[in-house]
Amino acid sequence: MTKVSCPICEKKMPGPHIEWPDYPFCSPKCRKIDLGRWLGESYRVPAEEQGSREEDSNSE
Ligand SMILES: [Zn+2]
């Protein structure tokens, strides 16, 4: 048996989750919160510098 709870408010979800319109969240509110977190974190992730290193140790 697997009990699922809302990842945002950790509210235990009763019944089969297939019935939740906002799975895996308990409500549209929690879904929104999760989305906001996601977007908030995505721009916090440092962009990896790709070949933008300036190494001038090989100059002739
Ligand atoms: Zn919730």
Side-chain angles (χ1 to χ4, degrees):
M1 260 207 248
T2 40
K3 274 197 181 172
V4 188
S5 52
C6 173
I8 301 303
C9 65
E10 292 181 3
K11 179 180 166 179
K12 288 262 168 24
M13 303 299 292
H17 66 64
I18 204 161
E19 285 179 10
W20 319 340
D22 295 293
Y23 177 81
F25 311 106
C26 69
S27 65
K29 200 173 136 193
C30 282
R31 183 198 276 197
K32 238 182 162 178
I33 291 170
D34 183 76
L35 186 71
R37 271 190 198 177
W38 219 89
L39 294 176
E41 273 175 31
S42 67
Y43 76 75
R44 261 185 54 205
V45 173
E48 275 188 49
E49 290 169 49
Q50 291 180 339
S52 58
R53 275 191 195 170
E54 279 182 48
E55 290 181 49
D56 57 319
S57 57
N58 192 22
S59 53
E60 220 175 316

